[in-house]
Structure formats: C-alpha cells, structure tokens
Amino acid sequence: GGNSTKATSGINAANTRTQREKGINDTVEIFTQDTLKGGAKRPDVVKVLCANSGPDVEWLMDVFSLDLSLVARLGGHSQPRTHRGKERFPGMTITYALIQSVEQIAERSDKARIVTKANVFELLTNSDGACVGCKYRKGGEEFQEHGPVIMCSGGFGADFTTNSLLAQHRPDLMHLPTTNGEHCTGDGIKMGVAIGAKTIDLEWVQVHPTGLVSPTEPDAKIKFLAAEALRGVGGIILNAEGDRFANELGRRDYVTGEMWKNKPPFRLC
C-alpha cells in the first residue's frame, strides 16, 4: 500500500450518502471550486476527479463494506468532506480491503498473480520501442514478465542523493525532511525515463506543514506525518514565542508559507 496505507486524515468526496445523512449540503460544483482555488493547474482533471468522488467513495463503502461514516472539514475545503472510519486509519482501511480483494481473486482464478519480495529493475521494450514487460529479482534470481506495464511505484520525496529526481527538479527542498516512506526514491519513474517515457509536473512537490519529531532523532530526514486531521479537529500551530500565526484550516501552501515567515521551532497543540 505504500504511503496510501499510512494516510490518516481521510478521503475527500462531495455529495456522498454520509454527508447527506449528516445534513451537509456539499456539491460537486463546490468541491470543484475549492480545488481550483487550491491551485490546481488542470481544470479538466479536477472536474473528473470531483464529479467521480462521491460515487467512488460510496463504491468503496458498498462493495467492500468499509466504514467511512465520519466526515470532517480540513484545510482548503469550504465544506466537511473528508471521510474516515471510526477505528483504523482510513488509508489502511481502504488499501487493505483492496489488497485482500486482489488476493482472493488470485487464489480462486488465473486473472491475477501476486509476486512479493521482488525488485523490478528494468523495463523491456520491443523493436518499436514499446514497453512490453519487465525484469525483476527475487530470491537471488532474475525473472521476466511480459505484457502491458502500469507503474504504481510512488514518488521520489525520500531520495536525498545528489542525482535524485528531487535534486534535479526541486533542489530548494533538499534540506527539508520528508514524510514519505523511505521506499519513495523514484525508481519506477527512473526506469520509465530510461526507455524514453516522458514525465510531467515533477516540480510539483508539496511541502506539508506538520510532521512528528522524535525527541531521540530530531534531525531524522524521514518523519511520520502529523495529519491534517489534527488541525481539522481543532489543533493550532504555535511559533517559538508561543504565538498562533495562521489559520490552520488554510491550504497547505498557505500554512507552510506562514511558517517560513515565523521563527521555529513550531508546535502543534
């Protein structure tokens, strides 16, 4: 599940059954406007994602019997639309259910086969340059798989090496720690580029305002996310003087921008 499994705030959707039951008058149009105000650069993509958000969340609830019965208003949203359940992290709830479904399909049919503890290291191409498979290592041996390839390998925010994608596209952020898992080193993107794949928007690396700092490792480059839900339910951010300096329900770029203007260390209370 990667970083998705660790998502703790929830999944955003408009005009869901959960919202309607709670009397929340949210619409696709309002969600779309909120998202565009947040700085989205592809209105066509925004409209599709926002329009599908409600049916998609209800699909997760109905098909996988997921509990997404709690709704909160988080940063950048004008309505409560971030859905989560009453027990586990929403990311864990969603990804585990999907993984278990794929496992069941693999067990009872030949439609899916799951290979774990394997490392894909090269994409295969034919004489026309089309991607037709991959090579991977497992148990000290090399194997190949042939067919269409879809990359779902995550981002590159945890690669702090001098030749990383982060160093290439956002060198100004290299000094910051990351809340990405240490597995997020852009390997899949690099493999795609190696066979001629084009990339877009790699410069759009988001800086999240809050992370959990371990007293025993305050300078660790890998930190655990202090989720937006903490601010959504009333948490406030204080600067070194103990002063509140921002609206915690603002967009992440706004809150982060205000932090740059103030004196650290910052505390989430």
Side-chain angles (χ1 to χ4, degrees):
N3 283 335
S4 296
T5 294
K6 299 192 295 183
T8 53
S9 292
I11 180 170
N12 297 316
N15 193 28
T16 64
R17 183 167 65 246
T18 299
Q19 288 176 307
R20 293 192 297 272
E21 290 173 352
K22 296 181 181 299
I24 299 170
N25 185 27
D26 194 16
T27 66
V28 170
E29 291 72 25
I30 297 174
F31 190 11
T32 300
Q33 287 305 310
D34 286 350
T35 307
L36 292 173
K37 288 178 185 176
K41 304 300 180 184
R42 294 283 304 277
D44 53 331
V45 175
V46 169
K47 291 178 180 179
V48 172
L49 291 175
C50 292
N52 290 346
S53 64
D56 286 350
V57 163
E58 292 184 355
W59 176 76
L60 289 171
M61 296 170 64
D62 296 338
V63 175
F64 298 95
S65 300
L66 298 188
D67 174 20
L68 296 173
S69 59
L70 300 180
V71 187
R73 178 188 171 192
L74 301 190
H77 297 279
S78 63
Q79 301 291 329
R81 65 169 66 99
T82 305
H83 295 65
R84 68 183 191 278
K86 298 174 182 177
E87 297 182 4
R88 296 189 301 181
F89 290 164
M92 184 182 297
T93 297
I94 295 169
T95 57
Y96 278 25
L98 297 176
I99 291 170
Q100 289 169 359
S101 179
V102 174
E103 289 174 340
Q104 292 170 3
I105 293 172
E107 288 173 0
R108 62 174 182 255
S109 74
D110 58 359
K111 293 182 179 180
R113 183 167 59 89
I114 301 171
V115 180
T116 59
K117 299 181 180 179
N119 175 35
V120 176
F121 64 92
E122 184 181 342
L123 299 178
L124 301 173
T125 57
N126 61 18
S127 58
D128 296 324
C131 184
V132 294
C134 67
K135 293 182 180 180
Y136 67 94
R137 298 186 184 96
K138 179 180 173 68
E141 298 183 61
E142 290 189 5
F143 302 89
Q144 294 188 13
E145 292 289 339
H146 298 92
V149 178
I150 300 173
M151 304 298 293
C152 304
S153 54
F156 54 87
D159 188 353
F160 297 103
T161 58
T162 55
N163 64 342
S164 68
L165 293 170
L166 188 64
Q168 294 175 38
H169 297 279
R170 288 303 300 270
D172 57 310
L173 302 181
M174 286 284 285
H175 68 290
L176 293 175
T178 182
T179 56
N180 283 281
E182 57 186 12
H183 57 276
C184 289
T185 52
D187 298 348
I189 299 173
K190 293 174 184 177
M191 281 189 283
V193 170
I195 63 167
K198 303 298 182 183
T199 62
I200 60 171
D201 299 336
L202 294 189
E203 71 276 12
W204 291 104
V205 178
Q206 186 178 72
V207 178
H208 195 280
T210 50
L212 300 176
V213 179
S214 170
T216 60
E217 292 184 285
D219 297 323
K221 291 291 280 184
I222 307 293
K223 298 191 185 323
F224 199 84
L225 186 75
E228 208 152 24
L230 296 174
R231 305 197 305 280
V233 296
I236 60 173
I237 304 175
L238 305 179
N239 63 17
E241 282 76 35
D243 297 324
R244 184 183 180 194
F245 56 89
N247 175 5
E248 288 80 9
L249 289 181
R251 300 196 314 264
R252 293 173 184 174
D253 58 344
Y254 155 75
V255 177
T256 302
E258 293 303 303
M259 293 174 79
W260 286 123
K261 301 174 186 176
N262 279 266
K263 183 180 179 180
F266 301 101
R267 291 174 173 84
L268 180 63
C269 304

